[in-house]
Amino acid sequence: MDYKLNQCSHSDPIPYNNQFFCKLCGIHLPSDGNIPIKSAKFSFPAHLNPIQNLQSQWVRQVPVVQFPSDYLKQRLSLIDYIIEWSEKLSLSINSLFLAVQFLDYFVSSKNSDPLQYRLYAATCLMLAAKTIELDEKIPFISKLRRYTYLPYPTQDFRKCECQIIKSFNWNLQYTTIIDWAETALSLGIVYEQDELSQSESILKERTTNIIQLNLNQQNKQDLKEQTESNHKLSTKNIYIKVQEQFTKICLTILKDGSYLNKDPSQLTLSLIGCVRKICGFKQSLPQCLLSLYDNIQPKFQDSIVDLLSKQTKQPISVVGKAFTNDLDFFSLQNYKNRVL
């Protein structure tokens, strides 16, 4: 992943909805002078109104109703299956999240067969890839059968694909938690003026003191340049941590499943607050972020923090262990005999 920080000078601001954005890289430019940072991966020209795009994403979530009890017992194992398959097929994390939400919706809205949950999961992954990925990366049925080791014939995959598409009324264009997270990262959630919490500040101060002691023989100009260089390096490391933590928390929320029907705007802001808090920022949600999101209240921030605390003490699932955790006889036999 390219973690090179955006080198844009933000010299061409453009107004949208009483907010300013950089026309060249699309980052949010708060009125208080706070300068956001982001990786080059999330740079894009601000030709369209970012606020309107964000609001349109919030209303395009996959509708989810109550899950069947049989599905709740297998959901974590099925998500591990999808994670393992998507890794083998080299699919994006966006396809992974969309496949899980397709599966949640289809199972919750149909009288589905619990014995075919893995067939549904594999088909949802294929449909998600068809929606998002480039043509050369789409795993069609023949390739899907090889990588999933499922015993179903091609005809069953085709039948299942038609059932799922019809349940969505032939519209598979939906956004997921990871899409909202990437949108937030592209607008900026880390600022150069951000202050670290006390523990992080003490560590940074000690590092700075060591650098100063080692450079006490250099002139003031060299010392100033070295300090600025280390500050940029520290900022880059913090941003890397923010981006990685955002993905991990989104995956935790996806596996938990209890937040999927919540207000996406409030959930997105809650996730931003959690990420910044975990990464050691003194202020979890600065005013410039609240104003960008029209002062939406992060109602789920505390509950997500509690969820993450419980996850740390007692993990609910292990990525990539779906085959060994599944008690289905055929799956175990297939796992033992498969050729890697």
Side-chain angles (χ1 to χ4, degrees), residues 5-10 27-30 32-38 188-196 204 228 231-232 234-236 238-239 276 281 286 288:
L5 294 186
N6 183 32
Q7 301 298 317
C8 181
S9 60
H10 313 309
I27 208 165
H28 175 226
L29 302 174
D32 59 5
N34 252 333
I35 302 177
I37 61 173
K38 65 178 179 179
I189 64 172
V190 178
Y191 302 89
E192 291 185 359
Q193 292 88 341
D194 270 325
E195 295 182 6
L196 299 175
K204 184 177 178 181
E228 291 177 352
H231 174 70
K232 292 180 180 178
S234 175
T235 303
K236 179 179 179 180
I238 292 173
Y239 182 83
R276 287 176 56 89
F281 290 111
C288 55

Side-chain angles (χ1 to χ4, degrees), residues 73-288:
K73 295 177 183 178
Q74 301 183 44
R75 187 174 182 272
L76 286 176
S77 179
L78 290 167
I79 292 178
D80 282 342
Y81 272 112
I82 296 176
I83 291 173
E84 187 165 335
W85 295 337
S86 64
E87 289 177 350
K88 290 179 180 179
L89 293 166
S90 300
L91 300 179
S92 66
I93 193 171
N94 304 75
S95 294
L96 162 66
F97 274 72
L98 188 59
V100 173
Q101 289 204 224
F102 281 170
L103 180 63
D104 285 341
Y105 174 77
F106 179 73
V107 172
S108 65
S109 60
K110 291 284 184 180
N111 294 323
S112 53
D113 183 2
L115 297 178
Q116 294 187 338
Y117 279 157
R118 276 170 293 168
L119 173 61
Y120 302 150
T123 306
C124 285
L125 182 60
M126 178 177 63
L127 289 173
K130 286 183 177 182
T131 305
I132 294 176
E133 306 289 347
L134 298 174
D135 290 346
E136 58 267 21
K137 296 192 69 176
I138 296 174
F140 292 100
I141 294 177
S142 58
K143 186 176 182 179
L144 197 64
R145 291 182 63 201
R146 291 200 310 270
Y147 279 79
T148 60
Y149 303 98
L150 294 178
Y152 302 99
T154 301
Q155 184 177 358
D156 286 354
F157 277 94
R158 289 175 179 171
K159 183 179 178 180
C160 183
E161 184 179 11
C162 290
Q163 290 176 344
I164 295 174
I165 293 176
K166 288 179 180 179
S167 69
F168 282 98
N169 196 25
W170 300 88
N171 178 20
L172 301 180
Q173 299 295 326
Y174 291 95
T175 54
T176 63
I177 299 173
I178 198 68
D179 295 323
W180 304 327
E182 290 183 348
T183 300
L185 286 170
S186 70
L187 296 179
I189 64 172
V190 178
Y191 302 89
E192 291 185 359
Q193 292 88 341
D194 270 325
E195 295 182 6
L196 299 175
S197 61
Q198 185 176 4
S199 58
E200 296 283 348
S201 298
I202 291 175
L203 181 61
K204 184 177 178 181
E205 183 178 354
R206 289 177 180 174
T207 304
T208 303
N209 290 338
I210 293 174
I211 294 173
Q212 290 176 346
L213 289 174
N214 292 335
L215 299 176
N216 56 7
Q217 301 299 325
Q218 297 184 11
N219 57 42
K220 293 182 179 180
Q221 183 62 29
D222 291 339
L223 179 60
K224 180 180 179 181
E225 291 178 357
Q226 184 67 31
T227 303
E228 291 177 352
S229 175
N230 282 292
H231 174 70
K232 292 180 180 178
L233 180 61
S234 175
T235 303
K236 179 179 179 180
N237 291 336
I238 292 173
Y239 182 83
I240 292 173
K241 185 178 179 181
V242 167
Q243 191 168 324
E244 291 176 344
Q245 286 295 331
F246 217 150
T247 302
K248 290 179 181 179
I249 294 178
C250 287
L251 186 58
T252 301
I253 294 297
L254 183 73
K255 287 189 171 186
D256 179 72
S258 60
Y259 294 89
L260 298 181
N261 60 349
K262 304 298 184 183
D263 185 293
S265 57
Q266 295 175 349
L267 180 59
T268 302
L269 202 60
S270 299
L271 288 172
I272 294 173
C274 289
V275 169
R276 287 176 56 89
K277 185 175 182 180
I278 290 172
C279 293
F281 290 111
K282 193 172 184 179
Q283 195 174 8
S284 62
L285 286 170
Q287 185 58 42
C288 55

